[in-house]
Amino acid sequence: AINAFSDQGLNLEALEAFPNKIEPFAYNFYVEVRGHPQDEAFQRALETLRPITTFINIIGAFYMQQ
């Protein structure tokens, strides 16, 4: 799953794993990605993730101006 972002040139700022409280031996992952969900590279990464995940939820997005 990490390769989905790497292959699109997106940097992960944070990655955390938490045990899934409903399904034993399953984990939920929270990632912070440098990019915006409307960017093409981000969309391609999400398309790569959809077949290999059971749930994707984008909880926020922001741009950092330089």
Side-chain angles (χ1 to χ4, degrees):
I2 292 172
N3 286 340
F5 298 103
S6 176
D7 291 348
Q8 296 303 321
L10 297 169
N11 292 322
L12 295 182
E13 300 291 320
L15 171 64
E16 295 184 53
F18 299 94
N20 184 309
K21 294 179 181 179
I22 298 170
E23 188 177 341
F25 306 105
Y27 287 85
N28 297 326
F29 291 89
Y30 293 86
V31 296
E32 194 172 309
V33 180
R34 184 167 293 238
H36 193 278
Q38 293 178 350
D39 293 341
E40 280 186 45
F42 201 108
Q43 286 295 313
R44 287 191 300 266
L46 290 177
E47 289 304 315
T48 300
L49 287 173
R50 283 190 173 95
I52 61 172
T53 60
T54 56
F55 180 75
I56 296 173
N57 185 19
I58 298 171
I59 58 174
F62 62 92
Y63 276 118
M64 293 178 55
Q65 293 185 352
Q66 296 179 5

